[in-house]
């Protein structure tokens, strides 16, 4: 199975769509749907299971055979003001999932620290990440997580065998329907 966290969000649902296009339906989605229209992002998608984020680690510990985890879950609102909630969801939760993947990989395939980090390479270094000046809580929380990962790489500490991080924006995409007041001003005038 492939687990996609944040699967009801714009990017997560498109990852599920690509997996479906590749013939993969053995997907477990992890997200909160809430009372807004986030579910619409998944209405054309097929998945084998759904787990809420607060139950994810118990679900993972129940012995599921997970091939890959694509972690897109975060509070991505650039207007978020609750720092505790943002750090809990974007930093603590992501770190907990990273640690789970690292330990699970080491448990299933025992290897030395050197081997466990052999596929990890850094495109942007710790100093470059430290130099970033986030404009909001969302950016700050993601920067803090990036610093932890970059520090682990620099110190040769174990990580999952394939651990990749990306930074990207969805604001200019006209299909990003759930951002509401955070839509790009380019969308407003097009």
């Amino acid at each position: 199975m492939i687990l996609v966290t944040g699967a009801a969000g714009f990017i997560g649902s498109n990852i599920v769509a690509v997996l479906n296009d590749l013939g993969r339906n053995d997907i477990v989605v992890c997200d909160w749907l809430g009372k807004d229209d986030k579910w619409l992002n998944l209405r054309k998608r097929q998945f084998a299971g759904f787990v809420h984020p607060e139950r994810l680690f118990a679900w993972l510990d129940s012995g599921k055979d997970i091939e890959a985890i694509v972690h897109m879950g975060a509070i991505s609102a650039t207007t978020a003001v609750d720092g505790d909630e943002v750090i809990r969801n974007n930093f603590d939760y992501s770190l907990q999932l990273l640690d789970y993947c690292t330990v699970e990989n080491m448990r299933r395939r025992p290897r030395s620290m050197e081997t466990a980090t052999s596929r990890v390479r850094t495109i942007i270094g710790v100093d470059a990440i430290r130099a970033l000046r986030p404009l909001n809580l969302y950016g700050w929380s993601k920067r803090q997580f990036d610093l932890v990962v970059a520090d682990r790489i620099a110190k040769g500490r174990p990580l999952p065998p394939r651990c990749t991080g990306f930074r990207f924006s969805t604001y200019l995409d006209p299909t990003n329907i759930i951002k509401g007041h955070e839509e790009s001003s380019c969308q407003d005038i097009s």
Side-chain angles (χ1 to χ4, degrees), residues 130-146:
R130 280 191 188 116
L132 296 173
R133 297 293 173 245
L135 301 175
N136 51 55
L137 277 169
Y138 168 70
W140 173 74
S141 68
K142 300 315 263 178
R143 175 184 173 265
Q144 294 307 115
F145 180 77
D146 291 348

Side-chain angles (χ1 to χ4, degrees), residues 79-154:
T79 56
V81 294
D82 186 337
D84 292 326
E85 183 182 26
V86 169
I87 204 73
R88 215 175 9 258
N89 282 283
N90 296 6
F91 181 77
D92 293 342
Y93 194 79
S94 296
L95 193 56
Q96 194 176 359
L97 190 55
L98 178 70
D99 289 341
Y100 174 87
C101 292
T102 302
V103 167
E104 183 63 19
N105 179 64
M106 298 299 274
R107 187 171 63 80
R108 286 186 182 191
R109 297 172 196 88
R111 56 182 78 189
S112 69
M113 284 178 55
E114 180 181 65
T115 305
T117 60
S118 63
R119 293 186 189 173
V120 179
R121 66 186 178 101
T122 309
I123 294 173
I124 181 171
V126 177
D127 292 337
I129 295 170
R130 280 191 188 116
L132 296 173
R133 297 293 173 245
L135 301 175
N136 51 55
L137 277 169
Y138 168 70
W140 173 74
S141 68
K142 300 315 263 178
R143 175 184 173 265
Q144 294 307 115
F145 180 77
D146 291 348
L147 284 169
V148 168
V149 174
D151 186 60
R152 288 183 182 189
I153 292 168

Side-chain angles (χ1 to χ4, degrees), residues 14 16 25 38 52 58 62 67 82 90 100 120 125 129-130 174:
N14 278 287
V16 173
N25 300 319
K38 228 163 87 163
H52 289 94
S62 69
E67 175 184 339
D82 186 337
N90 296 6
Y100 174 87
V120 179
I129 295 170
R130 280 191 188 116

